[in-house]
Amino acid sequence: MIKALVLFGSSRGNSKLVANRMADFASFNLDVVNVAELHDATIIQQYELLIFLASTWGDGELQEDMENFFSRIPIDLAGKAYAICELGNYYGYDDFEFGALRIMQVELSRANGRELIEPFCMDSMPKKDWNGFERWVRQLNDAVSRIDA
């Protein structure tokens, strides 16, 4: 069975909540780690699938802990798949593209990672899109089952 690691950065607890709820919908085993607590990339090498969760801030910036993670810890994802869930408040921000998502894609591509499924942009205001998140995790479940087959 594939080993999956959820890596999240959270300023106000939203990404942490979503990361911890992922186990409710996932059909595979996963561990959850706050990137603020990582000091090196050793743990990443133990997993075949990495799932990144972070929110977009301001005018399209990456959440601070996730930004620090990418800037201070060199990672090599050769042979590893990844998936991204970006959180944000999109109401009233129609002119902005998904900043955190694009930044994470660039960083993970530079690290030689392979995107497993389309990213999910989860609206978190005025309420969290749990139905959309559950649909995305089902897609992730399907992709993981094809890897494990």
Side-chain angles (χ1 to χ4, degrees), residues 38-122:
L38 291 180
H39 303 291
D40 60 42
T42 306
I43 191 172
I44 289 173
Q45 299 312 314
Q46 301 171 28
Y47 297 88
E48 294 87 19
L49 172 61
L50 304 168
I51 303 164
F52 290 83
L53 285 94
S55 55
T56 295
W57 284 82
D59 292 337
E61 293 95 29
L62 185 57
Q63 188 274 339
E64 183 178 14
D65 294 330
M66 189 65 74
E67 182 178 345
N68 289 337
F69 168 75
F70 283 124
S71 65
R72 68 180 164 75
I73 298 179
I75 57 175
D76 180 10
L77 301 182
K80 297 186 184 300
Y82 69 85
I84 298 171
C85 176
E86 175 214 32
L87 284 78
N89 174 10
Y90 306 114
Y91 179 75
Y93 292 91
D94 300 331
D95 293 339
F96 294 101
E97 287 294 320
F98 305 107
L101 166 61
R102 300 295 180 240
I103 295 167
M104 287 187 284
Q105 281 179 316
V106 166
E107 294 294 337
L108 296 169
S109 176
R110 281 184 191 153
N112 302 309
R114 177 180 50 88
E115 193 169 72
L116 185 61
I117 64 169
E118 286 289 317
F120 177 60
C121 298
M122 181 177 183

